[in-house]
Amino acid sequence: MIEGYKIISKSSEESIVVYARKINDVYQDFKIEYNGAVLSRPFWINDTNPAFSPKIICEDINDDDKKDLIIILTKGYGTGVLEQEAHVFHIEKKTIGKEIMEVPMEVLVDNPLAIIKKTVRTTLTKTEAQISIDDRHFTMDIERLGINPNLFDNIYFGNIITFEVSDNRFIAKIGAQISPAGFIGDVLIVYEYRDEMYQASHLNFVEVSSPENEKQDHQ
């Protein structure tokens, strides 16, 4: 236990505990305890709702046969909004005093919205929404999706940003939105470790299949 801090998430399997202080109605001033080593992250932010406590994931996501530490924060949520932020750590052996300890070392993750800005092209009309990734084009019939006519000028990314690890791959899912309540699907960014940071390996788009699925996917 760290005096003056609250435990807001922990993983007993890997002896990881995440502490923070409640400041201005959000958790800030984080400390991460990993097998006895403590790291400070004073500028992290997470919502105080227990349903959105930081997620702790320990998986090998860079194919080096060693588990990596991924901590996913939730910075904001609400109707049609879920904004997450992911931090990735590689576990390295460091000499601390007279002991050799395994210490998490944070690795840069390319911003998913910057990746989309550089890679994804979009068009939106009153009848169709189109997303283009490289030479692949995804066209959605707006009327079939049942989305109201109060459309944006173009497809918007930014209200739904989530992260997950699936089959040892680190993935960001970014909601594609064409109206205040109209989501047409997700751009999936699969990351790879390259040039000492996590960058996009490839992108894909997954369309919602119906208004009912849309509601379930973005609750």
Side-chain angles (χ1 to χ4, degrees), residues 60-85:
D60 175 16
I61 60 170
N62 66 342
D63 299 321
D64 65 353
D65 296 322
K66 296 189 294 185
K67 285 187 177 181
D68 306 298
L69 169 62
I70 303 97
I71 297 178
I72 300 173
L73 307 176
T74 297
K75 300 176 66 176
Y77 72 95
T79 302
V81 175
L82 180 56
E83 183 184 359
Q84 293 184 341
E85 180 179 273

Side-chain angles (χ1 to χ4, degrees), residues 16 24 38 48 77-79 86 96 101 125 129 159-160 175 178 209:
I16 303 165
N24 297 327
V38 177
T48 56
Y77 72 95
T79 302
I96 300 177
M101 301 180 65
T125 70
N159 280 337
I160 302 290
I178 63 172
S209 57

Side-chain angles (χ1 to χ4, degrees), residues 128-144:
E128 285 187 348
Q130 185 176 90
I131 291 177
S132 298
I133 302 172
D134 299 324
D135 59 351
R136 291 168 292 150
H137 306 285
F138 306 87
T139 302
M140 283 67 65
D141 184 325
I142 293 173
E143 184 177 356
R144 181 181 64 80

Side-chain angles (χ1 to χ4, degrees), residues 8 23-28 30 43-49 51-55 71-78 81-87 111-113 158-163:
I8 61 172
I23 303 172
N24 297 327
D25 295 323
V26 295
Y27 286 127
Q28 299 181 51
F30 278 68
F43 303 113
W44 284 10
I45 293 175
N46 198 89
D47 195 271
T48 56
N49 187 331
F52 296 100
S53 296
K55 296 180 182 178
I71 297 178
I72 300 173
L73 307 176
T74 297
K75 300 176 66 176
Y77 72 95
V81 175
L82 180 56
E83 183 184 359
Q84 293 184 341
E85 180 179 273
H87 297 270
N111 187 305
L113 294 181
N159 280 337
I160 302 290
I161 305 172
T162 63
F163 294 86

Side-chain angles (χ1 to χ4, degrees), residues 171-190:
I171 300 168
K173 296 174 70 173
I174 315 300
Q177 188 175 358
I178 63 172
S179 74
F183 287 88
I184 58 174
D186 296 296
V187 172
L188 274 57
I189 302 171
V190 179

